Amino acid sequence: TDALGLADPTPASRVVTVTANQAPEGTIDTPAGDVTVTAGGSVAFTGTGTDPDAVLPLTFLWTFGGGAADSPLEDPGAVTFSTPGTYTVTFRVTDALGLADPTPASRVVTVNAPPEGTIDSPATDVTLVAGQSVSFSGTGTDPENHLPLSFRWTFGGGAADSPAEDPGAVTFSTPGTYTVTFTVTDSLGLADPTPASRVVTVTAPNQAPNGVIDSPAGPVTIPAGGSVTFAGTGTDPEGHLPLTFLW
């Protein structure tokens, strides 16, 4: 409009379309699903953020449920979980206008502590004669109560393995030295990394010693009141000494 009040009969114009800001979206690329790791193990985390309005740059926040420190990286990589427990990990993406993904992607990480097995009997290593038996019993515990537990006794080749917690009397038929181990595994498949063990030494059955009369060399005839010199030698095939003697 000019100073005399005359207006432009063809004013310039533009169309401005105002739309609501749409939330960005975050996707967890790895791990592909929930994960179980041993305490002290790590999990590699990567993600992707997208925004339908391209309101960039995007910002990121990984929260690990207290199992590890939060991360502002899109791809934080290997994250170590040191303490047993169950942790919900979330990946939240926020656009440049401060609008966050209302349904952040998540994974559950279970950090598992191994179970422990104890051999109750025998209390120590054992030595026995071939053909004799030893009674075996054990106890398995798990700090997180991931039950049921499973068991495996291995007898080092001296007898067949057993899946029983308390296999009872086990016979060792062949002389030798056998390392017996008792391994406990929890319901998530994690085994005791340091299974309890005993050493069983199996000896051959004791063989009888042998006595030889060195002198006299054969039967002797003497007059009444005469004497005979007697000497002998005793030996043992296994060297179980000392020997005792009786004439």
Side-chain angles (χ1 to χ4, degrees), residues 4-237:
L4 298 179
L6 182 63
D8 182 356
T10 58
S13 66
R14 294 288 187 275
V15 176
V16 177
T17 302
V18 180
T19 60
N21 185 18
Q22 299 182 63
E25 183 177 359
T27 302
I28 294 176
D29 301 318
T30 61
D34 296 340
V35 179
T36 297
V37 296
T38 304
S42 64
V43 182
F45 289 94
T46 61
T48 300
T50 57
D51 188 78
D53 311 303
V55 181
L56 306 177
L58 302 176
T59 57
F60 311 96
L61 180 63
W62 288 86
T63 59
F64 298 101
D70 295 350
S71 173
L73 300 177
E74 185 175 13
D75 299 320
V79 175
T80 299
F81 292 81
S82 301
T83 305
T86 301
Y87 303 96
T88 298
V89 177
T90 59
F91 175 50
R92 187 181 296 274
V93 180
T94 302
D95 69 15
L97 296 179
L99 183 61
D101 181 357
T103 56
S106 66
R107 295 286 186 269
V108 174
V109 176
T110 301
V111 183
N112 194 7
E116 183 175 359
T118 302
I119 294 177
D120 301 320
S121 65
T124 61
D125 297 340
V126 178
T127 298
L128 70 159
V129 175
Q132 292 183 328
S133 63
V134 182
S135 181
F136 289 93
S137 63
T139 299
T141 57
D142 187 77
E144 300 149 320
N145 211 33
H146 289 155
L147 306 177
L149 301 176
S150 58
F151 311 97
R152 173 64 60 183
W153 288 87
T154 59
F155 298 102
D161 294 351
S162 172
E165 184 175 14
D166 300 320
V170 175
T171 300
F172 291 81
S173 301
T174 305
T177 301
Y178 305 96
T179 299
V180 178
T181 59
F182 176 50
T183 303
V184 180
T185 303
D186 69 16
S187 60
L188 298 181
L190 183 61
D192 181 357
T194 57
S197 65
R198 294 288 184 270
V199 175
V200 176
T201 302
V202 182
T203 64
N206 190 18
Q207 300 180 58
N210 185 50
V212 176
I213 296 176
D214 300 319
S215 64
V220 179
T221 300
I222 59 171
S227 64
V228 180
T229 297
F230 289 93
T233 300
T235 58
D236 187 82

